[in-house]
Amino acid sequence: MSHADEIFVEALQTNRKQLVALASRVVGCSWRGEEIVQDAYLRVMRGGGAPEGIQHPLHYLKRVIYRLAIDVRRGLTVERNYAETVTFNDRPATSPDLAANIELLRPDAIEILTPERKVASRDELAHVLGCLEDLSEQTRKAFELSQLYGYKQREIGEILGVSTPRVHAMLKTAFQHLSKKLDNE
């Protein structure tokens, strides 16, 4: 370990609480603040060690940690924006056993959502749900529980009080109905 590395490690160890507090204020979470400080240390050390000639290692660490925290906060904002587009607070839960604000997060689908994409996503969802209005309430509930909330057929059967084969039949009916409605447009 070089002399510069030792100075950085000492600055990190003696000011750890202050650095964690800085990161925590930016992201709003103390355990994420801890992760950011650890990530900053690893990045500095893996990136060839501490840079030579830094006169104020604490200020340098603060800058690195602040920028990492901003990146984390941006990522969390993207995730929240995605969650808002697939949260169904404006639609009543299909069963009293469900929470009214279940959020669906698909890690592969998290992307920056523009206001236009949000509106298009909501319009598409409203259109699909509108196509299902012709179905019986129980079949519509089975479809929503399966496709919107990710419940398994066995769990849907327990919630609706029907057998698993019956749930399968209801889902098949819903998919066929939806396919016909969308093909006719």
Side-chain angles (χ1 to χ4, degrees):
M1 188 182 298
S2 73
H3 180 65
D5 291 343
E6 290 173 5
I7 292 172
F8 270 88
V9 169
E10 182 182 336
L12 181 74
Q13 289 174 343
T14 57
N15 299 290
R16 184 169 188 78
K17 286 184 181 180
Q18 180 184 7
L19 296 171
V20 169
L22 170 68
S24 298
R25 275 193 310 271
V26 174
V27 296
C29 177
S30 60
W31 68 265
R32 280 201 175 110
E34 277 286 344
E35 286 184 345
I36 291 168
V37 170
Q38 290 173 6
D39 190 34
Y41 171 77
L42 291 173
R43 284 178 186 230
V44 167
M45 291 309 183
R46 285 185 182 162
E52 297 290 333
I54 298 291
Q55 293 180 350
H56 302 286
L58 180 59
H59 295 295
Y60 179 80
L61 282 172
K62 284 182 179 179
R63 189 170 62 220
V64 168
I65 289 168
Y66 182 76
R67 288 180 178 168
L68 287 172
I70 292 293
D71 289 345
V72 168
R73 188 173 74 185
R74 284 182 185 146
L76 293 171
T77 301
V78 168
E79 289 177 18
R80 278 191 212 106
N81 286 341
Y82 176 76
E84 286 175 13
T85 64
V86 293
T87 300
F88 303 101
N89 289 334
D90 56 340
R91 185 166 173 80
T94 57
S95 167
D97 298 337
L98 296 176
N101 60 350
I102 294 176
E103 294 181 354
L104 304 175
L105 294 177
R106 283 185 22 218
D108 61 325
I110 293 176
E111 58 181 81
I112 296 174
L113 293 174
T114 63
E116 293 83 13
R117 286 184 183 169
K118 285 182 181 181
V119 170
S121 295
R122 288 186 184 183
D123 288 348
E124 288 173 13
L125 179 61
H127 181 67
V128 168
L129 293 175
C131 290
L132 297 173
E133 293 297 321
D134 298 338
L135 297 172
S136 70
E137 183 180 351
Q138 196 169 40
T139 301
R140 190 175 63 253
K141 285 180 184 179
F143 179 85
E144 291 175 1
L145 290 169
S146 170
Q147 299 304 303
L148 301 180
Y149 298 106
Y151 280 82
K152 296 177 181 170
Q153 291 183 12
R154 179 186 48 78
E155 296 168 329
I156 296 169
E158 291 172 5
I159 291 170
L160 298 178
V162 298
S163 68
T164 303
R166 178 69 186 126
V167 171
H168 180 76
M170 287 190 289
L171 290 175
K172 183 178 178 182
T173 300
F175 280 114
Q176 288 172 342
H177 179 76
L178 188 58
S179 179
K180 286 179 188 172
K181 283 281 223 177
L182 294 176
D183 285 345
N184 288 339
E185 295 178 0

